Amino acid sequence: MSLFQSQRTALLVVLTGALLLVLAVLQYLWVGELTRFELELTERNLAVSTRGFALELGDVFQNIGFTYRVRRGPDLGQELFDEYRSWLDSTMYPGLIVDAYWIDAAPRSSPDIAEAFRLRRAGLDEAALVPVEWPPSFDPIKRRLDDTGDFSFRTRSRAPREWTIPFEDDRWAYVVPQGTLGPPGWAAVILDQRVLLEGVIPTLVDQYFGVEDQRDYRLRLLESGEPSAQVLYATDTAFAADAGTTPDIRRDIIYEGADWVVEVTHESGSLETYVGWHRWRNLSLGFGAVIVLGVSFGFLVTANRRAQALADRQMAFVAGVSHELRTPIAGISSLSQNLADGVVRDLGQAARYGESINTESRRLNAMVEKVLHFSALRSGQYHYERELLDIRAVVESETEALRQSSRDDLRIHATFQDGLPLVAGDAQALRSVVRNLVSNAIKFGPGHGPVTVAVRSVGREIEISVADRGEGISTVDRAHIFEPFYRGQAARAGQAEGSGLGLSLVREFVKAHDGRIEVATGDGDGTRFRVYLPAEAAGNSSEQHA
């Protein structure tokens, strides 16, 4: 890759990194604004839901109050009965009222409370006011009237508000004082607590806060706003018992500012916690997207650099192959031309010319064979013809062929273990493996040798070891020696012949035979390649040195 391309790539990386950093900062600021908006919107929605819940629950009591705040017609019993029947026709909770009483107040002139208040029962099934004795269950109501002096409301500018009080068993008394006009009186409406806590309130909770499995909030209803107030209703027992929890919102309930209070909090503990979790989730997603973009860009840059490096290697390969092909072709052309022109008349010299032509033809054939093998492997069209092979015969044939084709005093030492198992494989591919490894060892060894080849059985595998005593493979080259078209520093510096395909083909052929290849090397310590192939059956070779 050229210096200009490297600088351009570096500039692109810096600009992209800066852009991603700006994007991350904008993402952080945007998520902060979104979080504040989400908190405000959630608080507003919660306030609307709580207000709706409180008003509608208050309306239940307000409707009862309107029903039993009479106008004092000529027949009080008939009026109370008619108003009750009208309420019964319009309500969703007909079982809420279980009984009703009318209390008349007299001027407080007698110390006897029984003489100051008169109790009559208002029929729910017929229009009648029936005097009854004060039962013990009404003692709380009498005490409330006596302690507060609510009977003297005629001196006030308006009527006092309603109030509730525990009555008996699972019932409450809802006391409705009458208006300022006419004689004083109270309607004591007896309510079924179970209908209220198991019907009215759960229905309103589902309506305003969602059904139980979809609800994001916890709610509790208190009898007053005091810290020690009794919990009348709660959506879950843990929230009912947790008096220390600060609610997200609290609101008074019931007409005319009654004592009941509703408290609502988010199931996560608070709205701030919930929105904060959303904020971190959004930040994580946002930063995750930025990181993915950065990593993707990094992969693109890396892939581009690798593609460029591969293109450079391919160009170098084309140049190298052209050179490697030109040399034997030029030699063959020159020698054959001399023979054709009759320049060589001596038979011995003609024989040497023929040998030279044959050597150059082999070099040319080996180069073409590598290119064809690589093309077939990359396209998936290489056809392996597997058979049981004597690996010793394969190795011996290739080492002997290399000896004969070399013009120098080539030293190859080959040793074979006795009784080597057979190998199931493609003979041509395995010969190519041995030829490439030994050729490399010859090429990069000192003075074209010596090269040591050893074949032995290791467990259920055959090990083929090829070693030289050269300078070894540099640290920079070790990670790339099996890459196509890659030529190491030593090959480039020494202008050694080759295409950079040999070791790539070796690895592909070994993998195709379910084998593996290892390399042990060091600067100045030579190089040893070990190929391991699965063994099939025992052979009959004897130990021999060639």
Side-chain angles (χ1 to χ4, degrees), residues 160-464:
R161 61 179 175 82
E162 298 90 343
W163 41 275
T164 56
I165 194 168
F167 190 61
E168 60 181 3
D169 298 332
D170 293 329
R171 296 182 177 183
W172 281 329
Y174 181 52
V175 181
V176 183
Q178 300 305 300
T180 56
L181 301 176
W186 297 265
V189 185
I190 310 304
L191 306 179
D192 190 332
Q193 179 180 344
R194 289 175 299 181
V195 174
L196 187 64
L197 300 183
E198 298 175 10
V200 178
I201 296 177
T203 300
L204 295 179
V205 170
D206 291 347
Q207 178 181 343
Y208 286 97
F209 300 99
V211 296
E212 184 174 0
D213 56 344
Q214 300 176 2
R215 191 181 303 147
D216 295 330
Y217 295 96
R218 299 184 297 170
L219 177 144
R220 62 188 174 197
L221 186 64
L222 308 177
E223 66 175 356
S224 70
E226 299 296 328
S228 59
Q230 178 185 355
V231 177
L232 303 176
Y233 172 84
T235 53
D236 62 80
T237 55
F239 189 42
D242 189 5
T245 299
T246 301
D248 291 317
I249 192 171
R250 69 197 316 260
R251 187 180 179 91
D252 293 339
I253 295 182
I254 304 176
Y255 181 62
E256 291 287 338
D259 293 332
W260 284 9
V261 173
V262 61
E263 294 183 345
V264 184
T265 189
H266 196 272
E267 63 179 358
S268 63
S270 68
L271 284 178
E272 287 78 7
T273 302
Y274 166 72
V275 175
W277 180 85
H278 271 257
R279 179 175 184 269
W280 285 112
R281 185 196 64 177
N282 292 335
L283 283 175
S284 299
L285 291 175
F287 287 145
V290 172
I291 292 173
V292 169
L293 287 175
V295 171
S296 300
F297 177 76
F299 280 137
L300 288 175
V301 171
T302 302
N304 179 66
R305 295 186 65 178
R306 288 181 177 175
Q308 185 63 44
L310 181 60
D312 293 342
R313 290 180 202 165
Q314 288 174 334
M315 292 298 295
F317 164 75
V318 172
V321 168
S322 299
H323 175 73
E324 294 295 330
L325 291 177
R326 187 183 299 114
T327 301
I329 290 175
I332 292 172
S333 176
S334 175
L335 293 172
S336 60
Q337 186 65 42
N338 288 340
L339 290 174
D341 292 344
V343 174
V344 180
R345 300 183 182 277
D346 182 67
L347 292 179
Q349 188 176 4
R352 288 192 296 274
Y353 270 44
E355 183 180 351
S356 297
I357 292 174
N358 183 50
T359 300
E360 296 300 333
S361 298
R362 287 185 178 182
R363 288 180 58 192
L364 184 61
N365 181 67
M367 177 65 66
V368 173
E369 183 181 86
K370 283 185 180 180
V371 175
L372 291 177
H373 281 173
F374 178 77
S375 176
L377 286 171
R378 281 302 175 95
S379 62
Q381 297 178 353
Y382 189 92
H383 179 65
Y384 292 94
E385 296 181 359
R386 296 183 182 273
E387 57 181 322
L388 291 177
L389 300 173
D390 182 354
I391 197 64
R392 172 174 178 166
V394 172
V395 174
E396 284 183 328
S397 66
E398 287 304 314
T399 55
E400 185 61 30
L402 288 170
R403 279 198 194 94
Q404 294 178 1
S405 64
S406 175
R407 300 174 182 176
D408 302 309
D409 183 16
L410 181 63
R411 290 173 293 164
I412 302 177
H413 302 295
T415 59
F416 303 90
Q417 181 181 326
D418 274 342
L420 288 172
L422 299 178
V423 173
D426 181 89
Q428 184 178 4
L430 293 181
R431 281 197 295 268
S432 178
V433 169
V434 175
R435 186 186 319 120
N436 279 293
L437 291 178
V438 176
S439 296
N440 274 1
I442 295 170
K443 189 186 308 180
F444 298 106
H448 295 279
V451 175
T452 301
V453 180
V455 183
R456 61 174 183 159
S457 176
V458 180
R460 298 183 178 181
E461 295 178 315
I462 293 292
E463 179 193 85
I464 304 173

Side-chain angles (χ1 to χ4, degrees), residues 480-498:
H480 307 285
I481 58 175
F482 292 108
E483 295 178 5
F485 311 117
Y486 185 83
R487 304 186 73 220
Q489 295 177 347
R492 295 194 299 270
Q495 296 184 344
E497 64 180 35

